[in-house]
Structure formats: structure tokens, C-alpha cells
């Protein structure tokens, strides 16, 4: 995949992995297919009873053969432009993992836990995020969604 950051182009090897049920949302399949195909990213599907075990097994196949793994949830929508932006940010900021901001369906809250938020959660159960926090191109968080996440295989190797 060619990633352009300013006037620089970088060719990186990427594999996409996703855990899928036997039946699913066909609209989403076309969404990610249209985003991945022009970038030359091959999706690999895994199945099983436990999502985390499926991802661990499938990601393990690619740690030695690419620089990044893109995790996809079968029900998350994203575009080619979304992927290009995420990869540009991952390379620019040299992140171990990066994902976009997504809100929960039920109540619109962002799907993330700010750094330190797990260690010292607010007693009310509701955390406030100042508007300025969203103004930065990249923020470090404790947890985030996995639906369209770019993970550095070097980071996976470091954390074995």
C-alpha cells in the first residue's frame, strides 16, 4: 500500500484481519471491500466462538510478513480515504496502534477510555472530555474500538 504524507510516499505491507459470524451485514462487506481493494490490502477472515482468540490466531499469521495489521469489525463502515488518513497518521506519529473515533449506538458516547481513566474512574461513572482534547490529531488512550484499527507488527513483537 502506498501512503502519502505531504510530498513523501511510503510503500508498506498491510494485512487486514476480521472475525466474522456465519451470517452478517452485507452492506458492510461491500464498504470494506471497496476501501481495501484499491489499496491492495487483502482481508483474511477468521471464525470461532471467541472474538479475541480468533484475532490472536489470525494476526499471528502475519506478524513476520508485514509492517501493519488492520483489524476490521464486520459491522463497521469506513472508506478508502479513512484508511489513507489513519495510515498517514500512524506513520507520521509512529504509533503502535491507531483507530478513528466512533460513538456508541445506544447513547452517542465516544468508544474510548482516556489514558488514566481505567486507573482512576470517576465516581459518577461518567467522564468528561474537554472539547480541546479532540483538537489534537492523535491522542493516547487506554482503550478504544477495534473496528478499524491499525496495529504495528513491531509493537506486537515487542509485547510478546
Amino acid at each position: 500500500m502506498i501512503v502519502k504524507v505531504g510530498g513523501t510516499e511510503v510503500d508498506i505491507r498491510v494485512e487486514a484481519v476480521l472475525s466474522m459470524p456465519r451470517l452478517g451485514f452485507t452492506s458492510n462487506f461491500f464498504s470494506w471491500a471497496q476501501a481495501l481493494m484499491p489499496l491492495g490490502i487483502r482481508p483474511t477472515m477468521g471464525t470461532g466462538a471467541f472474538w479475541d482468540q480468533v484475532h490472536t490466531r489470525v494476526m499471528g499469521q502475519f506478524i513476520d510478513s508485514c509492517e501493519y495489521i488492520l483489524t476490521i469489525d464486520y459491522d463497521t463502515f469506513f472508506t478508502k480515504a479513512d484508511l489513507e488518513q489513519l495510515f498517514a497518521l500512524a506513520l507520521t506519529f509512529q504509533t503502535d496502534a491507531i483507530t478513528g473515533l466512533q460513538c456508541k449506538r445506544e447513547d452517542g458516547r465516544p468508544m474510548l477510555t482516556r489514558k488514566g481513566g481505567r486507573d482512576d474512574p470517576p465516581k459518577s461513572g461518567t467522564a468528561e472530555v474537554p472539547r480541546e482534547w479532540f483538537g489534537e490529531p492523535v491522542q493516547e488512550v487506554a482503550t478504544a474500538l477495534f473496528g478499524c484499527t491499525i496495529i504495528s507488527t513491531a509493537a506486537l513483537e515487542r509485547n510478546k
Side-chain angles (χ1 to χ4, degrees):
M1 169 186 175
I2 303 295
V3 177
K4 297 178 184 177
V5 179
T8 304
E9 290 186 2
V10 180
D11 188 6
I12 57 174
R13 295 169 296 168
V14 180
E15 294 285 346
V17 300
L18 61 155
S19 174
M20 295 180 58
R22 288 181 293 231
L23 301 173
F25 303 103
T26 56
S27 294
N28 295 79
F29 300 163
F30 282 96
S31 166
W32 55 254
Q34 289 174 334
L36 297 175
M37 289 173 59
L39 299 173
I41 301 173
R42 172 185 60 179
T44 299
M45 179 187 82
T47 60
F50 303 105
W51 173 90
D52 56 336
Q53 290 177 3
V54 172
H55 271 292
T56 300
R57 184 179 67 245
V58 178
M59 282 193 274
Q61 298 174 34
F62 302 113
I63 288 177
D64 296 330
S65 62
C66 62
E67 289 86 22
Y68 291 95
I69 293 174
L70 170 65
T71 62
I72 300 170
D73 281 350
Y74 73 96
D75 63 347
T76 298
F77 279 98
F78 56 90
T79 66
K80 175 180 174 270
D82 294 332
L83 292 178
E84 290 171 324
Q85 180 69 25
L86 278 175
F87 275 103
L89 289 168
L91 291 169
T92 299
F93 292 94
Q94 292 296 295
T95 61
D96 286 344
I98 191 167
T99 190
L101 180 63
Q102 184 173 328
C103 294
K104 293 183 177 185
R105 291 183 189 122
E106 311 83 55
D107 57 19
R109 289 180 296 150
M111 294 175 65
L112 62 87
T113 305
R114 289 179 60 192
K115 188 175 178 183
R118 291 175 59 166
D119 301 326
D120 188 22
K123 293 184 185 359
S124 68
T126 304
E128 296 286 327
V129 180
R131 183 180 303 266
E132 301 79 38
W133 190 85
F134 294 99
E136 297 297 322
V138 175
Q139 287 284 7
E140 188 173 355
V141 296
T143 68
L145 72 118
F146 217 58
C148 183
T149 300
I150 297 165
I151 302 170
S152 162
T153 53
L156 293 174
E157 281 290 326
R158 274 195 319 271
N159 294 304
K160 272 188 172 178

